[in-house]
Amino acid sequence: MRRGRFLMKAMSLNLSTVNSHVKNAEYAVRGPILLAAQEIEERLKNDPGSLPFKRVLKCHIGNPQSLKQQPISFVRDVLTCVINPSMMERATFNPDVVERAKRYLEEIGSAGAYAESQGISAVRQEIADFHYQRDGYPADPRNIFLTNGASEGVKSFLQTIIRDPASGHRDAVLTPIPQYPLYSGTTAVLNGVLVPYYLNEEAGWTSTSKDLDAAYEGAVAEGVTPRALVVINPGNPTGQVMAEEVVREVAAWCRDRGVVLMADEVYQENVYKDGAKFTSFRKAAFDLDLFSGQDPLQMVSFHSVSKGFFGECGLRGGYYELLGIPDEVRMELYKLASMCLGSNTVGQIVTGVMVKPPQPGDASYEQYNRERSDILDSLKRRSLVMCEGLNSLTGVSCNVIEGAMYAFPTIRLPKKAVEAAKAAGKGPDTFYCLRLVHETGICVVPGSGFRQKEGTYHFRITILPPEDQIDEAVGLLRDFHEKFLNEYKD
Amino acid sequence: MFSKKDTSKVLLRDNVSPKVLQTKYDVRGEIYLAAVKRANEGKEVIYTNVGNPHALGEQPLTFNRQVLSLVMAPFLLNDPRVNSMYPSDAIARAREYLRHVKGGLGAYSDSRGNPYIRQEIADFIQRRDGVTASPDKIFVSNGASECVRMFLNCIIRGPNDGVMVPIPQYPLYSASIALYGGEMVGYYLDEDTTWSLDMDILRSSLAAARAKGITVRALVYINPGNPTGQCLNKENVENLLRFCHDNRMVLCADEVYQANIYTPKAFVSARKTLASMPEPYRSNTELVSFHSVSKGPFGECGLRGGYIEFHNIDDGFIDEMYKLASVNLSPNVTGQVALGLMVNPPRPGQPSHNQYQSEVRRCIESLKRRARRIVDAFNSMEGVSCQPTEGAMYSFPRIRLPRKFIERAKSLGKSPDVLYCLELLDETGLSCVPGSGFQQVPGTFHIRTTILPKEDKFDDIVGRFKSFHEGFIRRYGKPEPEAPRSRL
């Protein structure tokens, strides 16, 4: 295209004229390591023998079905009947599948119709029932919002509570370090302040109310208003499952400090450690009677179909429940949900199936239960393989993976490696991870993407490589690591 | 210094983000909430407030649901009876998607959308407009609305950044601009000439905004229009493109209704128009275009699939949008496949082609008939005038209200058209959106209704509008004579 005499003006939209809060936000889960992995994938596609490894192994993101995990049959059966109702007559589905699909269709008419802004009321009722069953305390479907994945709910909620500094406030979100960078990224885009509270690696990634106090008081001293506390349980990237007493302690702390509790509980079905049990924050709060009295606790819990054993990341199903939040605030969240006319109906239906699965006696129960155990048992096995494998590497130590889907080992890097990284203009853990992907095809996320204690280095690797690939992956990692240490030894 | 005893509860409406508080979205506002309450009391409600075809009985296109159900449940492909249950092209198409969508519907895709599907979209744009389109310049999201919001979030830096928006407009724009703390710069459409564009009005709106110290960064137009239903011609679009180029703004073309056209006028895309213009416009006018699976004969609102195409947009900017999209991980994959199916329908010669085309034709012909009927009906009512619905899914009649009624509304603290809609709902069960939800020339009142209720119910619905209005005039008297109109 000849531009000729016409001067190419700089575009009015460019990096220097984009919203600076967007620019300042970071989200490393899909950062430079992934880009390198994608380039390597292209290279291997065009010339399969060109590298010393045969494939790229994407261990950077909790995306089970991209690594061969199969969807749960009952889920897909119900969905296919909702999408193509004529199939209910022409193919043979279990009666509980058909009944379920018909119940949803009765309310929505078609998967192609916008549902109510807060989501299909039958599904919200199912979630309310699930919460009651799980915790022993009732829930109100009016306080439940269905969203395109839990992430969307987190964004809406933060958007509602973080006030722009121009309004005279400096609102902060207390976030665990290390944390899943949805929180840091979203807070940055909203021009809020992130106030870290550090999880204690030596103590199995726990934190106590003392740590929370330190963070809170530090913030207040700087003229910042802590509005919410984020807790991820089971932890991401850290994998700890909080003991019931700790859950209660944190809930009580939030009530005492007047800070909204944001409980990210998307991994609640992924608990592997023997003896460990998931305790929901809402249960703990009700147990301690935190919602009554003058200054009740205010909280929001998030859940999703992306994790657990469903692993339906691509369907984008999630929800949040408000507790102790005044109706007038709920109406503001309702307004935000209305602007996008609600979340996708398929995701909403999967959410319903997740919280109300086949029961013993139902036609689909046996198969459902078998598929469920197979996946959870396999995840548990792989969590051990990965953890053991990482702990066998020199200078690497990995806490027990109590839950979630990740290992987050700490790596001691030789001084020379740190210097080489600096010379290359990269953080030491990023440098390590880039070398790893280039030499083994294994794609992980450097610890800096989640933040970490100053002077420590980590990376996050998923436990999701299929069973027939995970040993090989650990082997490749081991060989790489030893080679790397050797290269940079003192 | 913050101390807990200052507030009895931490999170109250008072300390919700002011940007959220100032955001208004009336499509699901007061009237809709009253309608829901009424429905919960067991009374009849007809929801004509949202362009939601399937909710009003429109049938999905057969081929789409066939392919989607196979992609949703791949085990069906192994069933020996599948060939008798599904046409061969639906089966082939499902297999193609399963081949190119790694992990199927259940895995996060690329944050920008699956590359194969983005290529289908690029091919569609090429076929439609005769231009070269690239999947790298196309992002998919959970509906066009999400693309719009992401885009506005990136371009609005602060309260001095403005976005020009037509009045009346679909309130996603006004709401999003408020949410991101920018300034909405309205430009009036001329109702009497089928809501036409007047470049002088645009020029003076821009000048007024600049005089206030606003940097206007973008101009939105909706074609076919929502709520106004007009279809623009090539000259209109050229004028908009030139205007944006000369004033260093991005043109935002909301084209989600491009398949809802009821006049012989063909749809004119901004992309095609720009490609036919000379330099410096062709290579230097910044343009983003939006499309969606929610409208047209597709009508798959609930699946949430939409895209944005960037043209002449800086790569650095696109990278920032990519980053923002990444935080959401991935658009829903079902909606993405639906997008692919929309832009790449069965070709002539393929088994499903004829049925597909006849379903599309029937849908559009029926919408065309319904559009005509309701516009004629409104024009037959006393004090009501209605421009033709050339496209989209709505009718937006202007209603001259009697003085007595306007005063009653004032005394109740309501906008008069809100009160009209509440009374209409109460008497007929029809749930519309008042014109104030879209903004309108001050002193004028409108309502927006969809044209979507099924054809066999349509006469009844038109009848309800008519008889309500007749009763309304009897109750409140004749409307005021036409007031002299001031636009700005």
Side-chain angles (χ1 to χ4, degrees):
Chain A
M1 193 174 2
R2 279 193 66 229
R3 306 242 160 82
R5 316 170 264 141
F6 302 105
L7 257 179
M8 268 282 280
K9 289 197 250 187
M11 296 304 173
S12 73
L13 290 186
N14 59 62
L15 204 52
S16 67
T17 64
V18 87
N19 177 356
S20 61
H21 309 310
V22 171
K23 231 181 348 189
N24 294 336
E26 285 170 358
Y27 186 74
V29 176
R30 290 192 161 188
I33 319 292
L34 177 65
L35 278 169
Q38 285 167 339
E39 283 164 24
I40 294 168
E41 240 172 359
E42 267 308 296
R43 199 153 19 129
L44 284 173
K45 199 163 65 165
N46 300 328
D47 188 358
S50 60
L51 293 167
F53 50 89
K54 21 183 167 118
R55 65 173 84 85
V56 163
L57 197 51
K58 296 216 175 123
C59 301
H60 67 295
I61 189 174
N63 195 12
Q65 293 191 29
S66 75
L67 290 163
K68 297 196 192 160
Q69 179 172 309
Q70 292 303 301
I72 300 289
S73 306
F74 182 77
V75 173
R76 296 305 184 91
D77 283 354
V78 171
L79 285 173
T80 205
C81 289
V82 171
I83 291 270
N84 195 8
S86 66
M87 286 307 289
M88 290 191 276
E89 266 104 68
R90 296 153 77 207
T92 19
F93 289 102
N94 283 342
D96 52 352
V97 168
V98 173
E99 188 200 323
R100 205 61 183 275
K102 284 190 168 156
R103 188 141 39 91
Y104 291 129
L105 282 168
E106 209 178 275
E107 182 178 328
I108 62 178
S110 160
Y114 292 124
E116 301 173 55
S117 304
Q118 281 183 226
I120 300 168
S121 51
V123 174
R124 286 184 286 126
Q125 185 61 57
E126 288 173 327
I127 294 168
D129 295 342
F130 163 66
H131 279 190
Y132 184 29
Q133 231 174 358
R134 185 191 64 190
D135 303 332
Y137 299 101
D140 185 347
R142 275 181 319 173
N143 287 328
I144 293 168
F145 284 72
L146 289 161
T147 53
N148 289 309
S151 299
E152 186 177 75
V154 169
K155 270 177 65 178
S156 293
F157 192 78
L158 287 175
Q159 191 159 42
T160 305
I161 70 170
I162 295 177
R163 295 166 296 186
D164 193 284
S167 64
H169 300 98
R170 286 187 68 212
D171 284 343
V173 181
L174 289 153
T175 15
I177 301 298
Q179 49 91 57
Y180 174 54
L182 164 67
Y183 298 97
S184 48
T186 306
T187 304
V189 172
L190 293 168
N191 203 10
V193 179
L194 186 142
V195 172
Y197 66 92
Y198 288 87
L199 302 178
N200 190 347
E201 185 163 7
E202 282 82 47
W205 296 116
T206 49
S207 60
T208 64
S209 50
K210 278 221 195 70
D211 300 312
L212 300 181
D213 283 337
Y216 180 94
E217 275 146 25
V220 167
E222 289 191 22
V224 153
T225 310
R227 309 245 19 227
L229 175 87
V230 173
V231 193
I232 309 173
N233 181 39
N236 174 10
T238 45
Q240 81 285 20
V241 176
M242 293 168 70
E244 187 174 29
E245 320 84 72
V246 181
V247 175
R248 288 181 171 195
E249 193 184 333
V250 171
W253 185 90
C254 287
R255 198 276 307 268
D256 295 340
R257 291 295 196 162
V259 163
V260 179
L261 171 59
M262 292 178 66
D264 178 338
E265 300 177 327
V266 304
Y267 294 99
Q268 59 185 269
E269 295 286 343
N270 300 104
V271 175
Y272 314 124
K273 180 173 174 210
D274 289 325
K277 196 169 79 84
F278 168 73
T279 305
S280 77
F281 272 94
R282 79 187 284 283
K283 177 176 192 300
F286 274 114
D287 283 345
L288 296 176
D289 202 22
L290 297 178
F291 296 114
S292 54
Q294 268 283 72
D295 296 316
L297 173 66
Q298 292 186 295
M299 65 172 280
V300 53
S301 324
F302 300 91
H303 196 12
S304 161
V305 305
S306 301
K307 312 302 177 188
F309 50 94
F310 266 40
E312 294 281 19
C313 302
L315 297 184
R316 307 320 272 114
Y319 71 82
Y320 63 90
E321 185 202 14
L322 303 169
L323 279 171
I325 307 280
D327 211 54
E328 52 179 25
V329 174
R330 180 183 68 84
M331 287 312 294
E332 297 301 317
L333 289 161
Y334 168 83
K335 193 170 63 180
L336 288 184
S338 298
M339 273 169 70
C340 270
L341 292 158
S343 65
N344 88 89
T345 48
V346 166
Q348 294 191 35
I349 289 169
V350 189
T351 308
V353 174
M354 175 179 77
V355 299
K356 193 182 168 171
Q359 295 300 303
D362 291 351
S364 305
Y365 176 72
E366 261 176 54
Q367 182 180 28
Y368 168 84
N369 200 37
R370 194 177 50 241
E371 289 172 353
R372 174 181 181 275
S373 321
D374 284 350
I375 290 171
L376 289 175
D377 290 345
S378 170
L379 283 168
K380 182 171 175 172
R381 272 193 305 273
R382 286 179 278 164
S383 77
L384 292 168
V385 168
M386 186 60 79
C387 191
E388 258 169 48
L390 289 166
N391 275 317
S392 74
L393 306 181
T394 316
V396 175
S397 81
C398 184
N399 277 351
V400 170
I401 300 173
E402 300 183 353
M405 287 178 173
Y406 313 97
F408 194 68
T410 195
I411 43 174
R412 270 195 343 260
L413 292 172
K415 203 156 45 135
K416 279 199 178 150
V418 176
E419 283 161 11
K422 280 205 172 74
K426 302 224 179 293
D429 45 13
T430 304
F431 181 75
Y432 178 92
C433 294
L434 277 168
R435 289 284 302 270
L436 176 67
V437 71
H438 281 293
E439 293 175 27
T440 66
I442 298 174
C443 176
V444 303
V445 187
S448 48
F450 306 90
R451 312 218 183 167
Q452 55 204 342
K453 213 163 80 175
E454 186 72 40
T456 66
Y457 308 112
H458 301 77
F459 63 83
R460 187 189 79 169
I461 183 169
T462 70
I463 59 171
L464 299 175
E467 297 238 29
D468 61 1
Q469 286 177 31
I470 193 164
D471 289 317
E472 185 193 330
V474 171
L476 280 170
L477 196 48
R478 181 178 294 120
D479 293 341
F480 164 81
H481 186 78
E482 302 305 331
K483 213 166 123 239
F484 185 88
L485 287 185
N486 208 33
E487 184 180 337
Y488 292 106
K489 68 171 182 258
D490 298 309
Chain B
M1 170 127 159
F2 175 82
S3 89
K4 207 196 144 254
K5 65 180 188 303
D6 292 339
T7 53
S8 57
K9 250 199 172 141
V10 173
L11 189 53
L12 299 165
R13 192 174 182 279
D14 281 350
N15 56 38
V16 157
S17 160
K19 288 179 184 171
V20 171
L21 292 176
Q22 76 202 13
T23 296
K24 266 176 45 98
Y25 184 77
D26 289 340
V27 174
R28 284 196 166 171
E30 185 179 354
I31 316 297
Y32 172 73
L33 291 169
V36 170
K37 188 154 165 282
R38 185 189 152 94
N40 289 337
E41 291 162 6
K43 301 192 194 142
E44 188 196 16
V45 172
I46 301 144
Y47 292 101
T48 57
N49 61 313
V50 181
N52 196 7
H54 294 185
L56 288 150
E58 187 70 61
Q59 289 303 300
L61 298 177
T62 309
F63 183 76
N64 298 329
R65 293 305 185 87
Q66 287 171 334
V67 176
L68 283 169
S69 68
L70 288 170
V71 180
M72 181 63 76
F75 67 84
L76 285 170
L77 289 166
N78 299 327
D79 190 318
R81 292 167 301 167
V82 71
N83 293 309
S84 60
M85 293 191 288
Y86 287 88
S88 59
D89 50 354
I91 294 172
R93 201 61 187 280
R95 288 193 199 278
E96 272 299 292
Y97 282 123
L98 287 167
R99 195 169 18 246
H100 289 105
V101 178
K102 184 164 182 224
L105 297 180
Y108 294 128
S109 72
D110 185 309
S111 304
R112 296 162 294 187
N114 173 283
Y116 176 79
I117 290 170
R118 280 153 55 219
Q119 184 64 60
E120 285 187 302
I121 297 170
D123 293 343
F124 160 73
I125 295 169
Q126 282 185 193
R127 275 194 314 272
R128 184 193 67 192
D129 296 341
V131 299
T132 312
S134 159
D136 293 336
K137 307 289 186 186
I138 293 166
F139 282 21
V140 169
S141 196
N142 293 309
S145 297
E146 192 169 81
C147 297
V148 168
R149 279 174 59 163
M150 262 198 296
F151 181 75
L152 292 175
N153 195 7
C154 284
I155 72 170
I156 296 173
R157 295 165 297 186
N160 293 324
D161 278 345
V163 178
M164 290 185 71
V165 176
I167 295 177
Q169 48 93 51
Y170 174 54
L172 166 69
Y173 294 99
S174 47
S176 303
I177 293 164
L179 189 59
Y180 299 122
E183 175 92 1
M184 174 172 146
V185 178
Y187 62 91
Y188 287 96
L189 302 174
D190 183 10
E191 180 161 13
D192 291 339
T193 55
T194 319
W195 298 108
S196 65
L197 267 178
D198 181 342
M199 294 312 293
D200 284 333
I201 291 184
L202 270 79
R203 275 185 276 271
S204 56
S205 292
L206 177 61
R210 282 175 169 171
K212 275 167 47 179
I214 304 293
T215 307
V216 180
R217 306 215 62 200
L219 187 155
V220 173
Y221 80 104
I222 310 172
N223 179 37
N226 176 8
T228 44
Q230 82 286 24
C231 292
L232 297 182
N233 61 34
K234 187 168 179 217
E235 194 191 329
N236 294 145
V237 181
E238 278 175 348
N239 288 338
L240 288 170
L241 286 161
R242 250 191 302 267
F243 182 73
C244 284
H245 171 272
D246 295 343
N247 290 290
R248 293 200 32 86
M249 302 189 294
V250 182
L251 184 63
C252 304
D254 177 338
E255 300 177 329
V256 304
Y257 294 99
Q258 58 185 269
N260 294 103
I261 308 276
Y262 314 126
T263 78
K265 292 196 245 182
F267 166 69
V268 176
S269 82
R271 192 69 162 82
K272 183 172 186 184
T273 307
L274 183 56
S276 69
M277 288 169 74
E279 297 295 4
Y281 303 106
R282 191 167 66 215
S283 307
N284 294 290
T285 311
E286 294 165 86
L287 168 67
V288 295
S289 315
F290 303 96
H291 195 13
S292 162
V293 304
S294 300
K295 313 301 175 188
F298 225 75
E300 296 282 12
C301 304
L303 299 185
R304 308 319 274 113
Y307 74 77
I308 177 174
E309 190 205 11
F310 302 99
H311 188 64
N312 292 336
I313 302 287
D314 179 79
D315 283 338
F317 180 86
I318 296 176
D319 275 343
E320 292 301 312
M321 289 264 313
Y322 182 10
K323 183 174 68 181
L324 207 55
S326 303
V327 183
N328 275 345
L329 292 155
S330 160
N332 95 81
V333 184
T334 313
Q336 294 190 47
V337 173
L339 258 176
L341 289 166
M342 177 182 80
V343 300
N344 190 8
R347 308 282 174 95
Q350 290 178 337
S352 303
H353 175 261
N354 289 347
Q355 181 182 12
Y356 188 97
Q357 289 305 324
S358 87
E359 286 174 1
V360 166
R361 217 172 18 245
R362 257 184 296 146
C363 172
I364 298 299
E365 293 296 309
S366 172
L367 283 168
K368 188 171 171 179
R369 282 193 296 270
R370 286 178 266 170
R372 168 74 78 55
R373 248 196 279 170
I374 202 161
V375 169
D376 287 349
F378 282 129
N379 277 318
S380 76
M381 297 186 215
E382 186 168 356
V384 180
S385 66
C386 191
Q387 295 300 307
T389 292
E390 300 183 325
M393 287 177 172
Y394 312 98
S395 181
F396 194 65
R398 177 165 172 217
I399 306 180
R400 276 164 36 225
L401 295 172
R403 180 199 296 279
K404 208 164 97 178
F405 182 76
I406 294 175
E407 278 161 15
R408 176 173 146 78
K410 276 203 173 80
S411 73
L412 292 170
K414 290 204 184 304
S415 189
D417 47 15
V418 169
L419 190 60
Y420 184 94
C421 287
L422 282 169
E423 294 201 6
L424 174 69
L425 171 69
D426 198 47
E427 194 177 302
T428 66
L430 290 164
S431 171
C432 300
V433 188
S436 48
F438 305 89
Q439 301 191 25
Q440 55 204 343
V441 169
T444 67
F445 307 106
H446 300 76
I447 65 172
R448 187 189 81 166
T449 174
T450 67
I451 59 173
L452 298 174
K454 289 194 79 172
E455 219 164 348
D456 59 7
K457 287 205 155 69
F458 213 71
D459 281 339
D460 169 46
I461 297 215
V462 168
R464 293 188 203 202
F465 275 113
K466 273 183 152 164
S467 63
F468 167 78
H469 193 74
E470 278 158 25
F472 176 83
I473 299 293
R474 273 198 304 274
R475 248 190 330 275
Y476 295 105
K478 293 203 181 267
E480 293 284 288
E482 192 91 311
R485 275 182 289 146
S486 63
R487 290 231 187 85
L488 285 166

